[in-house]
Amino acid sequence: MAQSPRPTSRAAIGSLVLIAGVVAVGAGAFAYTGGFLSPERLTPPKLVAALAPPGGPALGHRRNHAKGICFTGVFRSNGQGAALSRAPMLAVGDYPVVGRFNLGTPDPSAPDATVRVRGLGLQITAGGQVWRAAMIDPPFFPVATPDAFYALLEAGHSKQPDAMKNFVAAHPELPAFGAWAGSAPYMASYAEDQFNSLNAFIFTDAAGAAHAVRWSYKPEAQPQPLSKDDFAKLGPDHLETEIAERVAGAPQRWTLVLTVAEPGDPTADPSKAWPEGRRTVEAGTLVVEKVEDERDGPCRDINFDPTLLPDGISVSDDPFPAARSAAYARSYNLRTAEWKDYPYQAPAGAAPQAKQP
Amino acid sequence: MNGDPMSSDSAHFTVLQRALHWLMAIGILAMLFIGVGMVSTVAPKYLPLVETHKTLGIAILVLALFRLAVRFIYGSPPLPASMPAPMKLAAHLSHYGLYALMIGMPLIGWAMLSAGAYPVVLYGGIRLPAILPQSDQLHALLWQAHVYLAFAFFALILMHLAAGLFHALIRRDGVFESMSPLPAGTRPETTPAE
Ligand code: HEM
Ligand code: HEM
Ligand code: HEM
């Protein structure tokens, strides 16, 4: 093998310095890309940590919407949605679903009446593809951007007396949510709640035309609106017991209503509802047939990441779904890594520490 | 002779092997940077980065398996006799490590998503089947393996890069030239002494 003369010792030192420099630049670029040198960058770990209550997160549980109950059933598509999207679950047919009714709290044992926001996690499977979604009952989101959501969580934790005041001054969209939270009734059952996507997604039809869409699942059950106090009297875990009994008696239904944006509607800002009078399409019915406890139910280990979409549905210019995907993955990574802390197949009502690997 | 991908002389990897080496070096470095970049952002670019990560990662798996087969067929030039035995051992062990990681990392990534009950969808809507059943314990194990091995991979690549440059600039023993990105004929085999 060709062997060239060795360099002089001075040249060799120069070369060693050069090699060390190349390695250092490589390592530095890597650290910079990973955010290790930029503590101000909003990362998924920071965003998820900000959700934790003062006592720290409930290990093994979702970092938000931690209290919930699983269900299975079908999505009965009437085919009308195919006018907007070629997604396989919008063609006429019955498609299996797994989902989760939940409360927007990081505390899995929070009393029902202490939680303002309720949620629905849903996966519809058709033709080997899934459509996952996570929706809530308010008509709009409290803030306009993921950064603002983080700032809101931080303001909530802050010991500064005027942290919240300063936040509201900088985020004029928040009071509308405050007004909703203070005035909206508490429904006596998950079956009476309407769940909204809030985020806008792009539906692409068979001809390739794109439509910006938000959707809602509207309950078939007659609502029984209660005041917070009357609702609290039903008990701390009323919603789960009630939905289990109700579904055991008869399947419960929600209609999927797709709302199509008109040019100029704010697709990128879920804190702004679209004006009335938009074109809507009733695409089918969600039929909840069986309710199961989370601890041994089929929804526990699913991440209802709203960006896991079928062909024919994709994200829009709304910045939330990407931020949520990053945060939900972080939450999922943490809670699956904490499997030892989750009360697995413990019998109902057992203390949380009674865990069984 | 060197233009023929199917032939090698005793001093050089075949053109095919060198092309694969440098193409994959770029791809793997991109994967590592995309990986740490995507898990540290909540911006809209998170989604295309993850999609690219999965797609390129699976492409690397395919290329690595092909490359391993090529390696079995065409072998490698011997290391120079002048290299001390421990250095040769280090070279061989690090190459085993690099092959293991080129094949292992994508498999772990794919298996991790499978164990998390995630659909594995690549660029262009290509759907891969799950290679493991859903299991939170397996997901946790594979997630940790993917993260720690990624950092080990990067460290090993930096060492490998330093060793390559050490051969090129200081030992000047033809080891770098054996894998040089330029066809062997176009660059002088020997560098004039200072
Ligand atoms: C940047 C803003 C947001 C952050 C950081 C965030 C964070 C989280 C986290 C960490 C989880 C737990 C995920 C898991 O472990 O599986 C979660 C669950 C959930 N989120 Fe969000 N979220 C955000 C915005 C929203 C929005 C806009 C909605 C509704 C429109 C929503 C509805 C839900 C629902 C329904 C669940 C429960 C899903 C389930 O049952 O697994 N979130 N959120
Ligand atoms: C992502 C990065 C890289 C990977 C995964 C990688 C992988 C490998 C592997 C597996 C071999 C052994 C080939 C075989 O025996 O089949 C090899 C050889 C080699 N690589 Fe790399 N490499 C990378 C980057 C680099 C870089 C940046 C350099 C630049 C200095 C380099 C220089 C060399 C040299 C000179 C050899 C030949 C060693 C010998 O003759 O045994 N590699 N590389
Ligand atoms: C050469 C192959 C690969 C390399 C070098 C690589 C490297 C990385 C790196 C550096 C990270 C960031 C780790 C962290 O700091 O948390 C990462 C994360 C990730 N990788 Fe890979 N990867 C490879 C292949 C794959 C493949 C084939 C898939 C899936 C099909 C995949 C899926 C993922 C996912 C989902 C994450 C995010 C994990 C999380 O949620 O935190 N990777 N990868």
Side-chain angles (χ1 to χ4, degrees):
Chain A
M1 189 170 282
Q3 196 121 335
S4 9
R6 295 289 165 80
T8 61
S9 59
R10 258 185 69 205
I13 290 170
S15 300
L16 281 176
V17 170
L18 179 71
I19 296 172
V22 170
V23 169
V25 167
F30 195 63
Y32 173 77
T33 309
F36 308 115
L37 310 176
S38 335
E40 75 292 345
R41 190 185 297 175
L42 180 53
T43 62
K46 263 170 80 174
L47 184 53
V48 168
L51 288 162
L59 300 182
H61 292 270
R62 285 167 166 81
R63 288 315 197 241
N64 199 10
H65 296 257
K67 185 177 187 180
I69 190 160
C70 300
F71 66 79
T72 49
V74 296
F75 176 68
R76 189 153 295 150
S77 170
N78 60 24
Q80 301 293 316
L84 294 173
S85 165
R86 56 176 184 247
M89 50 292 281
L90 292 177
V92 182
D94 276 12
Y95 306 102
V97 305
V98 48
R100 184 171 173 271
F101 297 111
N102 54 68
L103 292 177
T105 166
D107 174 4
S109 44
D112 291 354
T114 61
V115 186
R116 181 65 271 201
V117 171
R118 296 180 189 170
L120 173 69
L122 191 66
Q123 164 174 283
I124 309 177
T125 307
Q129 302 193 37
V130 298
W131 177 10
R132 290 192 188 167
M135 301 150 279
I136 51 180
D137 61 341
F140 39 74
F141 203 64
V143 289
T145 64
D147 284 299
F149 186 61
Y150 176 71
L152 173 64
L153 294 171
E154 288 292 277
H157 293 309
S158 173
K159 302 221 161 34
Q160 304 276 317
D162 36 335
M164 240 342 154
K165 224 178 77 210
N166 293 341
F167 180 85
V168 174
H171 298 87
E173 70 271 27
L174 188 65
F177 187 83
W180 172 84
S183 64
Y186 287 71
M187 298 302 171
S189 169
Y190 278 129
E192 300 160 11
D193 281 315
Q194 168 174 329
F195 298 100
N196 309 309
S197 76
L198 301 190
N199 297 131
F201 291 80
I202 300 297
F203 280 44
T204 309
D205 63 28
H211 316 267
V213 169
R214 288 176 178 170
W215 67 81
S216 298
Y217 281 87
K218 298 200 164 163
E220 207 162 84
Q222 268 312 307
Q224 282 182 268
L226 299 176
S227 70
K228 181 172 177 167
D229 290 342
D230 287 342
F231 177 65
K233 289 189 196 115
L234 297 175
D237 301 312
H238 164 76
L239 288 173
E240 294 191 359
T241 337
E242 195 276 345
I243 194 70
E245 280 167 10
R246 191 191 275 246
V247 171
Q252 297 299 308
R253 294 185 166 77
W254 286 257
T255 306
L256 170 60
V257 180
L258 309 172
T259 303
V260 187
E262 278 179 17
D265 284 349
T267 51
D269 181 354
S271 72
K272 292 198 177 65
W274 290 344
E276 290 299 316
R278 295 290 171 264
R279 172 183 170 207
T280 59
V281 175
E282 293 196 356
T285 309
L286 166 66
V287 188
V288 172
E289 294 170 332
K290 187 175 173 211
V291 167
E292 286 171 83
D293 264 355
E294 179 189 88
R295 74 171 74 74
D296 37 28
C299 72
R300 185 193 59 213
D301 299 317
I302 296 207
N303 173 349
F304 292 99
D305 173 341
T307 67
L308 298 175
L309 298 165
D311 176 45
I313 305 181
S314 54
V315 294
S316 67
D317 57 354
D318 188 330
F320 274 92
R324 293 173 64 189
S325 179
Y328 292 22
R330 174 71 185 168
S331 170
Y332 187 84
N333 288 341
L334 292 172
R335 63 188 174 93
T336 54
E338 293 155 359
W339 58 273
K340 284 204 181 85
D341 296 291
Y342 186 90
Y344 267 80
Q345 274 74 333
Q353 54 268 41
K355 57 197 172 212
Q356 196 233 294
Chain B
M1 154 212 83
N2 285 298
D4 176 359
M6 296 308 143
S7 80
S8 66
D9 53 50
S10 61
H12 299 96
F13 283 93
T14 59
V15 170
L16 175 64
Q17 281 172 306
R18 279 185 276 157
L20 281 168
H21 175 271
W22 289 104
L23 184 71
M24 291 183 68
I26 295 167
I28 289 167
L29 283 170
M31 280 301 286
L32 288 159
F33 278 84
I34 292 170
V36 293
M38 72 189 187
V39 299
S40 65
T41 182
V42 301
K45 66 180 179 222
Y46 173 78
L47 296 173
L49 284 175
V50 171
E51 184 177 65
T52 309
H53 187 84
K54 291 189 277 192
T55 310
L56 188 55
I58 296 296
I60 285 167
L61 174 62
V62 173
L63 284 175
L65 292 171
F66 174 64
R67 177 169 170 190
L68 193 62
V70 171
R71 176 70 167 72
F72 276 121
I73 298 170
Y74 297 108
S76 66
L79 289 170
S82 64
M83 248 171 94
M87 206 189 255
K88 281 188 177 155
L89 182 69
H92 288 137
L93 288 181
S94 64
H95 294 169
Y96 281 122
L98 289 167
Y99 271 112
L101 287 164
M102 285 190 283
I103 296 168
M105 279 298 291
L107 283 175
I108 291 170
W110 184 359
M112 163 176 81
L113 290 177
S114 306
Y118 288 98
V120 187
V121 185
L122 310 183
Y123 186 80
I126 304 168
R127 274 153 221 282
L128 298 184
I131 52 174
L132 280 182
Q134 189 280 320
S135 153
D136 50 357
Q137 292 170 47
L138 280 178
H139 178 271
L141 187 75
L142 293 163
W143 172 52
Q144 274 145 7
H146 200 73
V147 175
Y148 289 119
L149 288 177
F151 282 85
F153 201 178
F154 188 65
L156 192 56
I157 288 170
L158 284 184
M159 275 162 53
H160 177 76
L161 167 95
L165 291 178
F166 184 69
H167 282 288
L169 301 175
I170 296 174
R171 289 187 62 86
R172 300 188 180 177
D173 54 5
V175 168
F176 183 81
E177 285 68 23
S178 76
M179 192 53 104
S180 165
L182 300 172
T186 65
R187 55 154 53 218
E189 276 310 278
T190 55
T191 348
E194 270 74 340

